Amino acid sequence: MALDPLLLFQRQVLDDLLDEDALCIVARGLGLNRILAELARICATPRALVFLLHASEHDEDDLQHYFMQMRSGEATDAATTMQVVKNETNAGQRAQLYRQGGVISVTSRILIVDLLNDVVPTELVTGVVVHNASQVTAESIEAFVLRVIRQRNAQAFVKALSDAPEAFVQGFAPVEKILKVLGLRHVHLWPRFHVAVQRDLAREVPVVELRQPQTRAMEEVQQAVLDCLAATIAELGAATKLLDTETFNVESSLFRFFDVMVKRRL
């Protein structure tokens, strides 16, 4: 079954990314993987070699599912689909994939080894797409990969995506730091209150909301977990002055990247 076309705001997000190298931050739930799949489809050609970095196994499964739907009924080869390089893929197979071109999802650890061993034909690299960019730091392997590729091929593009906006409001100048790591100058912000997003999502759709109340035991367990979190954060704050107790509190600990933010401070 063919995929539904992109919504207008999703098409605008994609067009903006194609126009310039940038960090694109999209509100959660606005279909970032669908946009990424369309970007990957455009790049999936033997005339290009594009690396997809920092994609989880779940992201890779989603993207391959999208590719199957988008390419349904079409003749395909390795260069017109997304290839996934695993630890089981030996150096000879990887070298062949790199020469074939297309979009290749690969771990940063494997890619940096291949770059340093000259397995990757860097002169053929068209660009790099960094998924889940909020998790990239100056010390990460992704940052090293980008530096090596840019040193050897200044024409390669870099496009970064994230649907975790809460990770960009913690600490001092987090967006500026990530832009510096990625070597980018532009940021595209797509919150839910963006005019284009609201226009596309304001359609009249019947919604049935179901709410399952917690039992007394569940409420007690929840309160116990929150008490443990509060005690742990208080202990961390007492042990080091690097943590701002106004920023690092029980409320912020509920975010997905709280542990990453604490590690960065420590």
Side-chain angles (χ1 to χ4, degrees), residues 69-105:
Q69 291 181 293
M70 288 188 288
R71 299 292 188 181
S72 178
E74 298 181 12
T76 61
D77 55 32
T80 57
T81 59
M82 189 188 78
Q83 300 297 312
V84 178
V85 172
K86 302 283 189 182
N87 293 328
E88 297 78 17
T89 311
N90 62 46
Q93 293 172 325
R94 297 199 301 270
Q96 183 178 1
L97 284 176
Y98 299 152
R99 291 289 177 182
Q100 286 176 347
V103 177
I104 300 176
S105 178

mmCIF file of all heavy atoms in Angstrom, residues 69-105:
data_model
loop_
_atom_site.group_PDB
_atom_site.id
_atom_site.type_symbol
_atom_site.label_atom_id
_atom_site.label_comp_id
_atom_site.label_asym_id
_atom_site.label_seq_id
_atom_site.Cartn_x
_atom_site.Cartn_y
_atom_site.Cartn_z
ATOM 1 N N GLN A 69 7.117 0.739 1.333
ATOM 2 C CA GLN A 69 5.851 1.285 0.851
ATOM 3 C C GLN A 69 6.065 2.264 -0.295
ATOM 4 O O GLN A 69 5.307 2.273 -1.267
ATOM 5 C CB GLN A 69 5.115 1.986 1.995
ATOM 6 C CG GLN A 69 4.600 1.031 3.063
ATOM 7 C CD GLN A 69 3.850 1.763 4.164
ATOM 8 O OE1 GLN A 69 4.437 2.524 4.917
ATOM 9 N NE2 GLN A 69 2.556 1.531 4.236
ATOM 10 N N MET A 70 7.115 3.099 -0.187
ATOM 11 C CA MET A 70 7.369 4.089 -1.234
ATOM 12 C C MET A 70 7.830 3.445 -2.527
ATOM 13 O O MET A 70 7.535 3.926 -3.615
ATOM 14 C CB MET A 70 8.415 5.104 -0.757
ATOM 15 C CG MET A 70 7.907 6.072 0.292
ATOM 16 S SD MET A 70 9.079 7.398 0.686
ATOM 17 C CE MET A 70 10.334 6.510 1.593
ATOM 18 N N ARG A 71 8.571 2.326 -2.416
ATOM 19 C CA ARG A 71 9.120 1.664 -3.597
ATOM 20 C C ARG A 71 8.251 0.513 -4.068
ATOM 21 O O ARG A 71 8.655 -0.238 -4.949
ATOM 22 C CB ARG A 71 10.517 1.125 -3.274
ATOM 23 C CG ARG A 71 11.529 2.193 -2.878
ATOM 24 C CD ARG A 71 11.871 3.096 -4.032
ATOM 25 N NE ARG A 71 12.976 3.996 -3.682
ATOM 26 C CZ ARG A 71 13.470 4.907 -4.502
ATOM 27 N NH1 ARG A 71 12.983 5.038 -5.715
ATOM 28 N NH2 ARG A 71 14.450 5.708 -4.119
ATOM 29 N N SER A 72 7.061 0.361 -3.509
ATOM 30 C CA SER A 72 6.187 -0.749 -3.867
ATOM 31 C C SER A 72 5.893 -0.735 -5.367
ATOM 32 O O SER A 72 5.450 0.264 -5.930
ATOM 33 C CB SER A 72 4.870 -0.660 -3.085
ATOM 34 O OG SER A 72 3.998 -1.697 -3.464
ATOM 35 N N GLY A 73 6.169 -1.867 -6.024
ATOM 36 C CA GLY A 73 5.891 -1.975 -7.451
ATOM 37 C C GLY A 73 6.991 -1.445 -8.334
ATOM 38 O O GLY A 73 6.919 -1.559 -9.557
ATOM 39 N N GLU A 74 8.066 -0.882 -7.758
ATOM 40 C CA GLU A 74 9.164 -0.350 -8.557
ATOM 41 C C GLU A 74 10.339 -1.329 -8.550
ATOM 42 O O GLU A 74 10.549 -2.065 -7.597
ATOM 43 C CB GLU A 74 9.639 0.998 -8.001
ATOM 44 C CG GLU A 74 8.581 2.083 -8.010
ATOM 45 C CD GLU A 74 9.132 3.398 -7.458
ATOM 46 O OE1 GLU A 74 10.362 3.504 -7.288
ATOM 47 O OE2 GLU A 74 8.333 4.299 -7.193
ATOM 48 N N ALA A 75 11.117 -1.308 -9.627
ATOM 49 C CA ALA A 75 12.350 -2.091 -9.669
ATOM 50 C C ALA A 75 13.369 -1.410 -8.775
ATOM 51 O O ALA A 75 13.584 -0.209 -8.854
ATOM 52 C CB ALA A 75 12.858 -2.180 -11.099
ATOM 53 N N THR A 76 13.982 -2.165 -7.886
ATOM 54 C CA THR A 76 14.923 -1.571 -6.940
ATOM 55 C C THR A 76 16.240 -2.309 -6.968
ATOM 56 O O THR A 76 16.326 -3.476 -7.347
ATOM 57 C CB THR A 76 14.366 -1.624 -5.501
ATOM 58 O OG1 THR A 76 14.173 -2.984 -5.129
ATOM 59 C CG2 THR A 76 13.064 -0.862 -5.392
ATOM 60 N N ASP A 77 17.301 -1.610 -6.560
ATOM 61 C CA ASP A 77 18.595 -2.242 -6.328
ATOM 62 C C ASP A 77 19.146 -1.649 -5.043
ATOM 63 O O ASP A 77 18.503 -0.845 -4.373
ATOM 64 C CB ASP A 77 19.545 -2.044 -7.510
ATOM 65 C CG ASP A 77 19.726 -0.563 -7.864
ATOM 66 O OD1 ASP A 77 19.670 0.277 -6.943
ATOM 67 O OD2 ASP A 77 19.920 -0.250 -9.049
ATOM 68 N N ALA A 78 20.369 -2.048 -4.680
ATOM 69 C CA ALA A 78 20.932 -1.638 -3.394
ATOM 70 C C ALA A 78 21.048 -0.136 -3.263
ATOM 71 O O ALA A 78 20.899 0.419 -2.177
ATOM 72 C CB ALA A 78 22.301 -2.294 -3.201
ATOM 73 N N ALA A 79 21.319 0.547 -4.380
ATOM 74 C CA ALA A 79 21.553 1.986 -4.315
ATOM 75 C C ALA A 79 20.268 2.792 -4.206
ATOM 76 O O ALA A 79 20.302 3.982 -3.901
ATOM 77 C CB ALA A 79 22.342 2.448 -5.538
ATOM 78 N N THR A 80 19.119 2.180 -4.487
ATOM 79 C CA THR A 80 17.858 2.922 -4.409
ATOM 80 C C THR A 80 17.046 2.534 -3.179
ATOM 81 O O THR A 80 15.871 2.876 -3.086
ATOM 82 C CB THR A 80 17.016 2.684 -5.682
ATOM 83 O OG1 THR A 80 16.789 1.289 -5.850
ATOM 84 C CG2 THR A 80 17.726 3.245 -6.906
ATOM 85 N N THR A 81 17.647 1.816 -2.263
ATOM 86 C CA THR A 81 17.031 1.515 -0.976
ATOM 87 C C THR A 81 17.997 1.936 0.124
ATOM 88 O O THR A 81 19.140 2.287 -0.146
ATOM 89 C CB THR A 81 16.720 0.007 -0.843
ATOM 90 O OG1 THR A 81 17.945 -0.731 -0.974
ATOM 91 C CG2 THR A 81 15.738 -0.442 -1.899
ATOM 92 N N MET A 82 17.538 1.905 1.353
ATOM 93 C CA MET A 82 18.423 2.243 2.466
ATOM 94 C C MET A 82 19.116 0.987 2.960
ATOM 95 O O MET A 82 18.472 0.024 3.355
ATOM 96 C CB MET A 82 17.633 2.890 3.605
ATOM 97 C CG MET A 82 18.525 3.456 4.691
ATOM 98 S SD MET A 82 17.631 4.013 6.157
ATOM 99 C CE MET A 82 17.302 2.446 6.970
ATOM 100 N N GLN A 83 20.431 1.012 2.939
ATOM 101 C CA GLN A 83 21.222 -0.114 3.416
ATOM 102 C C GLN A 83 21.592 0.112 4.882
ATOM 103 O O GLN A 83 21.912 1.233 5.280
ATOM 104 C CB GLN A 83 22.492 -0.275 2.580
ATOM 105 C CG GLN A 83 22.229 -0.518 1.104
ATOM 106 C CD GLN A 83 21.474 -1.816 0.865
ATOM 107 O OE1 GLN A 83 21.824 -2.865 1.403
ATOM 108 N NE2 GLN A 83 20.415 -1.743 0.075
ATOM 109 N N VAL A 84 21.552 -0.946 5.664
ATOM 110 C CA VAL A 84 21.913 -0.879 7.088
ATOM 111 C C VAL A 84 23.171 -1.707 7.309
ATOM 112 O O VAL A 84 23.196 -2.898 7.003
ATOM 113 C CB VAL A 84 20.770 -1.395 7.982
ATOM 114 C CG1 VAL A 84 21.194 -1.361 9.446
ATOM 115 C CG2 VAL A 84 19.514 -0.556 7.775
ATOM 116 N N VAL A 85 24.206 -1.055 7.810
ATOM 117 C CA VAL A 85 25.474 -1.738 8.085
ATOM 118 C C VAL A 85 25.490 -2.151 9.555
ATOM 119 O O VAL A 85 25.368 -1.308 10.450
ATOM 120 C CB VAL A 85 26.675 -0.825 7.773
ATOM 121 C CG1 VAL A 85 27.972 -1.466 8.254
ATOM 122 C CG2 VAL A 85 26.742 -0.539 6.278
ATOM 123 N N LYS A 86 25.646 -3.438 9.793
ATOM 124 C CA LYS A 86 25.691 -3.985 11.141
ATOM 125 C C LYS A 86 27.111 -4.444 11.466
ATOM 126 O O LYS A 86 28.003 -4.431 10.613
ATOM 127 C CB LYS A 86 24.736 -5.176 11.263
ATOM 128 C CG LYS A 86 23.287 -4.863 10.927
ATOM 129 C CD LYS A 86 22.613 -4.125 12.061
ATOM 130 C CE LYS A 86 21.111 -4.009 11.812
ATOM 131 N NZ LYS A 86 20.435 -3.238 12.888
ATOM 132 N N ASN A 87 27.321 -4.884 12.711
ATOM 133 C CA ASN A 87 28.624 -5.406 13.103
ATOM 134 C C ASN A 87 28.989 -6.649 12.306
ATOM 135 O O ASN A 87 30.178 -6.951 12.127
ATOM 136 C CB ASN A 87 28.638 -5.735 14.602
ATOM 137 C CG ASN A 87 28.519 -4.485 15.456
ATOM 138 O OD1 ASN A 87 28.988 -3.423 15.077
ATOM 139 N ND2 ASN A 87 27.891 -4.609 16.614
ATOM 140 N N GLU A 88 27.963 -7.368 11.824
ATOM 141 C CA GLU A 88 28.218 -8.596 11.078
ATOM 142 C C GLU A 88 28.700 -8.310 9.658
ATOM 143 O O GLU A 88 29.205 -9.213 8.975
ATOM 144 C CB GLU A 88 26.953 -9.455 11.016
ATOM 145 C CG GLU A 88 26.447 -9.948 12.367
ATOM 146 C CD GLU A 88 25.697 -8.885 13.139
ATOM 147 O OE1 GLU A 88 25.288 -7.879 12.512
ATOM 148 O OE2 GLU A 88 25.554 -9.033 14.371
ATOM 149 N N THR A 89 28.544 -7.092 9.180
ATOM 150 C CA THR A 89 28.968 -6.741 7.820
ATOM 151 C C THR A 89 30.481 -6.567 7.792
ATOM 152 O O THR A 89 31.018 -5.685 8.465
ATOM 153 C CB THR A 89 28.283 -5.436 7.356
ATOM 154 O OG1 THR A 89 26.877 -5.495 7.606
ATOM 155 C CG2 THR A 89 28.528 -5.205 5.876
ATOM 156 N N ASN A 90 31.170 -7.399 7.021
ATOM 157 C CA ASN A 90 32.633 -7.331 7.026
ATOM 158 C C ASN A 90 33.132 -6.161 6.187
ATOM 159 O O ASN A 90 32.367 -5.515 5.452
ATOM 160 C CB ASN A 90 33.253 -8.655 6.556
ATOM 161 C CG ASN A 90 32.862 -9.005 5.123
ATOM 162 O OD1 ASN A 90 32.913 -8.163 4.219
ATOM 163 N ND2 ASN A 90 32.466 -10.260 4.910
ATOM 164 N N ALA A 91 34.436 -5.885 6.281
ATOM 165 C CA ALA A 91 35.025 -4.712 5.629
ATOM 166 C C ALA A 91 34.861 -4.757 4.112
ATOM 167 O O ALA A 91 34.615 -3.724 3.473
ATOM 168 C CB ALA A 91 36.507 -4.599 5.996
ATOM 169 N N GLY A 92 34.994 -5.952 3.527
ATOM 170 C CA GLY A 92 34.836 -6.070 2.081
ATOM 171 C C GLY A 92 33.423 -5.733 1.627
ATOM 172 O O GLY A 92 33.229 -5.031 0.619
ATOM 173 N N GLN A 93 32.432 -6.213 2.368
ATOM 174 C CA GLN A 93 31.032 -5.915 2.037
ATOM 175 C C GLN A 93 30.743 -4.426 2.216
ATOM 176 O O GLN A 93 30.031 -3.828 1.400
ATOM 177 C CB GLN A 93 30.100 -6.747 2.923
ATOM 178 C CG GLN A 93 30.157 -8.244 2.647
ATOM 179 C CD GLN A 93 29.376 -9.049 3.669
ATOM 180 O OE1 GLN A 93 29.323 -8.704 4.855
ATOM 181 N NE2 GLN A 93 28.768 -10.143 3.227
ATOM 182 N N ARG A 94 31.307 -3.836 3.257
ATOM 183 C CA ARG A 94 31.093 -2.405 3.493
ATOM 184 C C ARG A 94 31.709 -1.579 2.367
ATOM 185 O O ARG A 94 31.095 -0.624 1.875
ATOM 186 C CB ARG A 94 31.677 -1.994 4.848
ATOM 187 C CG ARG A 94 31.022 -2.666 6.036
ATOM 188 C CD ARG A 94 31.284 -1.918 7.330
ATOM 189 N NE ARG A 94 32.696 -1.800 7.642
ATOM 190 C CZ ARG A 94 33.379 -2.689 8.356
ATOM 191 N NH1 ARG A 94 32.761 -3.778 8.816
ATOM 192 N NH2 ARG A 94 34.660 -2.513 8.632
ATOM 193 N N ALA A 95 32.908 -1.937 1.949
ATOM 194 C CA ALA A 95 33.561 -1.207 0.866
ATOM 195 C C ALA A 95 32.731 -1.275 -0.413
ATOM 196 O O ALA A 95 32.603 -0.278 -1.142
ATOM 197 C CB ALA A 95 34.962 -1.776 0.622
ATOM 198 N N GLN A 96 32.129 -2.432 -0.680
ATOM 199 C CA GLN A 96 31.290 -2.589 -1.866
ATOM 200 C C GLN A 96 30.041 -1.712 -1.762
ATOM 201 O O GLN A 96 29.637 -1.069 -2.746
ATOM 202 C CB GLN A 96 30.899 -4.053 -2.046
ATOM 203 C CG GLN A 96 30.079 -4.322 -3.302
ATOM 204 C CD GLN A 96 29.750 -5.792 -3.461
ATOM 205 O OE1 GLN A 96 30.113 -6.614 -2.629
ATOM 206 N NE2 GLN A 96 29.062 -6.126 -4.544
ATOM 207 N N LEU A 97 29.427 -1.669 -0.560
ATOM 208 C CA LEU A 97 28.248 -0.827 -0.363
ATOM 209 C C LEU A 97 28.592 0.639 -0.571
ATOM 210 O O LEU A 97 27.827 1.383 -1.193
ATOM 211 C CB LEU A 97 27.679 -1.040 1.042
ATOM 212 C CG LEU A 97 26.891 -2.324 1.301
ATOM 213 C CD1 LEU A 97 26.492 -2.414 2.772
ATOM 214 C CD2 LEU A 97 25.647 -2.370 0.418
ATOM 215 N N TYR A 98 29.731 1.070 -0.037
ATOM 216 C CA TYR A 98 30.128 2.471 -0.176
ATOM 217 C C TYR A 98 30.300 2.842 -1.647
ATOM 218 O O TYR A 98 29.943 3.944 -2.072
ATOM 219 C CB TYR A 98 31.434 2.740 0.580
ATOM 220 C CG TYR A 98 31.368 2.477 2.072
ATOM 221 C CD1 TYR A 98 32.510 2.109 2.786
ATOM 222 C CD2 TYR A 98 30.172 2.579 2.778
ATOM 223 C CE1 TYR A 98 32.466 1.860 4.157
ATOM 224 C CE2 TYR A 98 30.119 2.326 4.147
ATOM 225 C CZ TYR A 98 31.275 1.964 4.828
ATOM 226 O OH TYR A 98 31.214 1.721 6.167
ATOM 227 N N ARG A 99 30.852 1.918 -2.432
ATOM 228 C CA ARG A 99 31.067 2.191 -3.855
ATOM 229 C C ARG A 99 29.762 2.215 -4.635
ATOM 230 O O ARG A 99 29.651 2.903 -5.657
ATOM 231 C CB ARG A 99 32.005 1.127 -4.445
ATOM 232 C CG ARG A 99 33.445 1.212 -3.953
ATOM 233 C CD ARG A 99 34.152 2.422 -4.523
ATOM 234 N NE ARG A 99 35.508 2.558 -3.995
ATOM 235 C CZ ARG A 99 36.312 3.562 -4.310
ATOM 236 N NH1 ARG A 99 35.912 4.501 -5.135
ATOM 237 N NH2 ARG A 99 37.522 3.626 -3.787
ATOM 238 N N GLN A 100 28.771 1.442 -4.176
ATOM 239 C CA GLN A 100 27.480 1.409 -4.864
ATOM 240 C C GLN A 100 26.726 2.716 -4.705
ATOM 241 O O GLN A 100 25.918 3.090 -5.556
ATOM 242 C CB GLN A 100 26.624 0.263 -4.319
ATOM 243 C CG GLN A 100 27.068 -1.111 -4.768
ATOM 244 C CD GLN A 100 26.252 -2.212 -4.140
ATOM 245 O OE1 GLN A 100 25.506 -1.988 -3.183
ATOM 246 N NE2 GLN A 100 26.381 -3.421 -4.656
ATOM 247 N N GLY A 101 26.956 3.427 -3.591
ATOM 248 C CA GLY A 101 26.242 4.674 -3.351
ATOM 249 C C GLY A 101 24.887 4.442 -2.713
ATOM 250 O O GLY A 101 24.542 3.337 -2.286
ATOM 251 N N GLY A 102 24.093 5.499 -2.624
ATOM 252 C CA GLY A 102 22.793 5.427 -1.977
ATOM 253 C C GLY A 102 22.853 5.908 -0.540
ATOM 254 O O GLY A 102 23.786 6.608 -0.134
ATOM 255 N N VAL A 103 21.858 5.535 0.241
ATOM 256 C CA VAL A 103 21.776 5.915 1.652
ATOM 257 C C VAL A 103 22.177 4.726 2.513
ATOM 258 O O VAL A 103 21.636 3.625 2.349
ATOM 259 C CB VAL A 103 20.352 6.377 2.025
ATOM 260 C CG1 VAL A 103 20.268 6.697 3.510
ATOM 261 C CG2 VAL A 103 19.955 7.588 1.195
ATOM 262 N N ILE A 104 23.127 4.949 3.424
ATOM 263 C CA ILE A 104 23.636 3.865 4.259
ATOM 264 C C ILE A 104 23.542 4.284 5.726
ATOM 265 O O ILE A 104 24.139 5.285 6.134
ATOM 266 C CB ILE A 104 25.102 3.537 3.915
ATOM 267 C CG1 ILE A 104 25.209 3.108 2.450
ATOM 268 C CG2 ILE A 104 25.637 2.447 4.836
ATOM 269 C CD1 ILE A 104 26.638 2.866 1.988
ATOM 270 N N SER A 105 22.769 3.531 6.500
ATOM 271 C CA SER A 105 22.691 3.758 7.939
ATOM 272 C C SER A 105 23.781 2.930 8.597
ATOM 273 O O SER A 105 23.816 1.708 8.455
ATOM 274 C CB SER A 105 21.315 3.349 8.476
ATOM 275 O OG SER A 105 21.257 3.525 9.878
#
